[in-house]
Amino acid sequence: MSKVLVVADIKQGDLKSSTSELLSKAKAIGAESAVVAIGSNIVSLSSDLANAGSDTQYIADDTGLELFSAGPYASCVVDAAKQFDADMIWFGFSESGKAVAPRVAAQLDIACTTEITDVMLEGDHIEVVRPAITNKVIQRVKINTDKLVAVVRAGAFEAVEGITGTENVIKLSPQESDLKAEIKELVSD
């Protein structure tokens, strides 16, 4: 059975619908699913994450993660992926997802693809569908590795009502070396 780790999309303390969409697709392809949530004051979202369909919730809740920074976020995702032994790591289509996904793939030395609109498990390999040439061509791509980091286009998958998981929280701690940057002023959000 494949294992899919979904990176939760959290904005201002609220779980975005893309998380449920990705978890629903993981269940639809028969994969074991887990979610990693990263931020500050988010531990209360664990039941929402389970209700969205995850069977394991990796939570990195630290004041140093209140504002997005690709390095610390990538370290937390890599830690969760290693603990879960994930075959696929899925990010929603957001600026943070597009910034962190390649870093995670590089740290884990696995393939990375963006803007996917579908994913299939065909035997022992992964296939993805993605648009190309300004959406004039739709590619079906066979991934030549057994592991994949993917950024999924917004709305590509539908959240299925009634899918739930089990609450199994595993706390993650960001590495101290990743939290050394200090933000002096936030110019815009």
Side-chain angles (χ1 to χ4, degrees):
M1 173 184 277
S2 288
K3 292 182 165 189
V4 175
L5 177 67
V6 170
V7 180
D9 190 4
I10 300 168
K11 182 139 184 153
Q12 298 176 342
D14 293 325
L15 187 62
K16 306 305 281 181
S17 63
S18 61
T19 306
S20 297
E21 294 166 5
L22 299 178
L23 287 165
S24 290
K25 180 63 175 186
K27 295 278 188 180
I29 64 173
E32 184 180 339
S33 65
V35 66
V36 57
I38 304 163
S40 180
N41 297 318
I42 60 165
V43 76
S44 62
L45 294 176
S46 59
S47 61
D48 294 340
L49 295 166
N51 290 335
S54 70
D55 295 317
T56 304
Q57 302 80 36
Y58 294 91
I59 309 249
D61 190 335
D62 189 280
T63 55
L65 298 169
E66 182 176 1
L67 298 174
F68 173 76
S69 181
Y73 273 56
S75 293
C76 292
V77 174
V78 166
D79 185 14
K82 286 179 178 177
Q83 287 187 46
F84 184 58
D85 193 27
D87 299 308
M88 291 183 274
I89 303 163
W90 293 350
F91 289 83
F93 196 74
S94 64
E95 291 302 318
S96 58
K98 291 185 281 183
V100 175
R103 286 175 163 86
V104 170
Q107 288 180 36
L108 294 172
D109 194 28
I110 59 178
C112 182
T113 187
T114 60
E115 299 195 29
I116 71 166
T117 57
D118 201 2
V119 62
M120 290 85 46
L121 298 176
E122 299 291 335
D124 60 349
H125 64 272
I126 305 164
E127 289 187 11
V128 298
V129 175
R130 62 181 308 278
I133 311 173
T134 62
N135 295 329
K136 293 180 182 167
V137 174
I138 302 297
Q139 299 174 324
R140 185 172 176 149
V141 182
K142 178 181 174 187
I143 306 301
N144 292 325
T145 64
D146 58 347
K147 296 192 183 266
L148 174 69
V149 173
V151 179
V152 180
R153 266 199 170 181
F157 307 149
E158 286 188 37
V160 177
E161 294 293 323
I163 289 183
T164 60
T166 55
E167 196 167 338
N168 177 25
V169 176
I170 298 172
K171 295 190 186 288
L172 301 175
S173 297
Q175 296 175 1
E176 277 301 315
S177 62
D178 287 334
L179 297 175
K180 290 191 178 188
E182 183 179 326
I183 298 172
K184 298 285 187 180
E185 178 184 2
L186 185 61
V187 177
S188 74
D189 184 22

